[in-house]
Amino acid sequence: MDYDTAGDPITGVKSSRRTTAKVALALGDFGVAVSPNTVGRLLRHMSYAIRVNHKQLDTDASPDRNQQFLYISDLRDHFQHRDLPIISVDTKKRELVGPFKNPGTRWDLAPRRVNDHDFRSDAVGVAIPHGIYDLRANRGCVTVGVSHDTPAFAARAMARWWHHEGRGRYAHARRLLVLGDTGGSNGYRCRAWKTELQAQLADACGLTLTVAHYPTGASKWNPIEHRLFSEISKNWAGEPLDSYQKILRFIRSTRTQSGLSVTAHLDRRHYPTGVEPAPEQLQALRLQPGDVLPKWNYTISPHL
């Protein structure tokens, strides 16, 4: 095993690229008759273990990464101490609606039968869950779209959250902190994202929006990922998402011991892709770049 062994210098746990069957076969060449199960037991006794690859090598590290994390931490403290709302936003992975395999396992009397291939043509449609996580209230709000993940869709979902939940929860607030990733429909380079925030949230709701983007490659630190989306995935694990009603039901029934509760809505509007803001929209944009890393931090104010 010497030439086929790797190991952890800290824990001492070892791994080998050979399977137990191949090791047993090699031992047979030396006149040692042994079964693969016995080989596995002996390897565990020698501190070997079955291992998988770990995605831990960061290839997109930005030199401004740590500074942005510190700045976001200061922003959160600032809004928290002034009783102002803080939301984390993102769009979860698109799901095919129909009898398709959903990763995970469930207790059941028999396995669910699903399609052997995930073809879009066999689906009832697509579900695009855009999530809003209220950090202070530990509440989630998910809007399930049926067309495309666009800035207009994301901004409308946020405006809906404010009218139905945020405004009642933070009646006296006129400022809102928005935390998001650097890409997707709410990407920092997306001009339509900023003009939609101006029109649908800042102007329509009278809110001053402070927007901060997590650094490239750091989306897993966005609170919505591990506080809302991960819980939804666990709740519907192993369950074929064969209707929009079922998707909404699983999202709404997501709970945690820390008190998380989630609302969900279906948005059947069509959102075309590739829509660029008009020159007059860009001119009317009341955007003030932040003092720290302005490419990732900015404030959008309503028109008076």
Side-chain angles (χ1 to χ4, degrees):
M1 299 288 292
D2 286 346
Y3 299 110
D4 301 301
T5 297
D8 189 320
I10 304 301
T11 63
V13 175
K14 303 173 184 177
S15 61
S16 173
R17 64 181 180 85
R18 291 198 178 193
T19 65
T20 54
K22 289 181 179 179
V23 174
L25 187 62
L27 288 173
D29 295 338
F30 291 97
V32 180
V34 64
S35 71
N37 289 340
T38 301
V39 170
R41 186 170 64 252
L42 292 173
L43 287 174
R44 283 188 289 271
H45 182 71
M46 296 165 61
S47 298
Y48 283 81
I50 297 175
R51 297 293 176 185
V52 297
N53 300 147
H54 284 188
K55 290 186 176 181
Q56 294 180 339
L57 301 178
D58 192 353
T59 59
D60 295 319
S62 166
D64 302 320
R65 178 188 178 105
N66 189 59
Q67 185 181 8
Q68 181 66 358
F69 275 121
L70 294 175
Y71 182 68
I72 290 177
S73 179
D74 290 341
L75 276 178
R76 290 176 61 172
D77 287 342
H78 176 85
F79 275 73
Q80 181 82 26
H81 293 155
R82 287 162 178 76
D83 294 327
L84 295 171
I86 306 170
I87 61 172
S88 170
V89 301
D90 198 10
T91 302
K92 188 172 165 56
K93 179 179 72 71
R94 186 184 74 164
E95 303 286 350
L96 289 179
V97 182
F100 302 105
K101 181 181 179 180
N102 198 11
T105 58
R106 301 185 72 83
W107 287 101
D108 211 332
L109 295 175
R112 301 288 184 90
R113 295 173 59 121
V114 295
N115 293 359
D116 56 355
H117 288 85
D118 296 344
F119 292 138
R120 172 66 178 85
S121 57
D122 294 332
V124 175
V126 295
I128 304 170
H130 181 277
I132 299 165
Y133 176 67
D134 184 339
L135 276 71
R136 294 191 54 211
N138 193 25
R139 294 291 183 270
C141 176
V142 179
T143 299
V144 179
V146 300
S147 60
H148 301 99
D149 179 24
T150 68
F153 168 62
R156 186 181 292 272
M158 294 168 63
R160 191 186 199 288
W161 168 82
W162 177 255
H163 286 302
H164 290 82
E165 298 183 36
R167 184 169 56 183
R169 201 173 292 150
Y170 307 100
H172 303 292
R174 290 297 174 264
R175 296 176 61 196
L176 173 65
L177 175 58
V178 181
L179 305 177
D181 296 342
T182 53
S185 60
N186 52 257
Y188 75 99
R189 288 194 180 99
C190 184
R191 297 184 300 173
W193 158 248
K194 296 167 184 176
T195 56
E196 290 293 344
L197 286 183
Q198 179 76 65
Q200 297 201 50
L201 230 66
D203 292 345
C205 303
L207 291 171
T208 298
L209 309 174
T210 299
V211 184
H213 295 269
Y214 281 89
T216 303
S219 61
K220 60 186 175 184
W221 274 274
N222 193 356
I224 194 172
E225 298 289 346
H226 52 272
R227 295 189 184 179
L228 178 61
F229 286 166
S230 62
E231 300 301 331
I232 293 173
S233 295
K234 287 188 284 187
N235 194 37
W236 69 27
E239 186 73 31
L241 304 175
D242 50 19
S243 70
Y244 287 109
Q245 290 72 26
K246 178 182 281 190
I247 291 173
L248 294 173
R249 186 168 66 249
F250 271 106
I251 294 174
R252 290 167 181 160
S253 63
T254 299
R255 298 285 187 275
T256 64
Q257 293 183 350
S258 62
L260 172 70
S261 63
V262 189
T263 58
H265 315 277
L266 186 64
D267 185 351
R268 292 191 176 275
R269 295 180 182 86
H270 176 72
Y271 294 93
T273 59
V275 177
E276 290 292 334
E280 53 269 23
Q281 289 179 294
L282 294 174
Q283 292 175 0
L285 187 59
R286 297 196 63 195
L287 185 147
Q288 177 65 40
D291 295 330
V292 177
L293 299 173
K295 65 178 180 179
W296 288 335
N297 305 296
Y298 47 89
T299 298
I300 298 177
S301 304
H303 290 96
L304 300 177

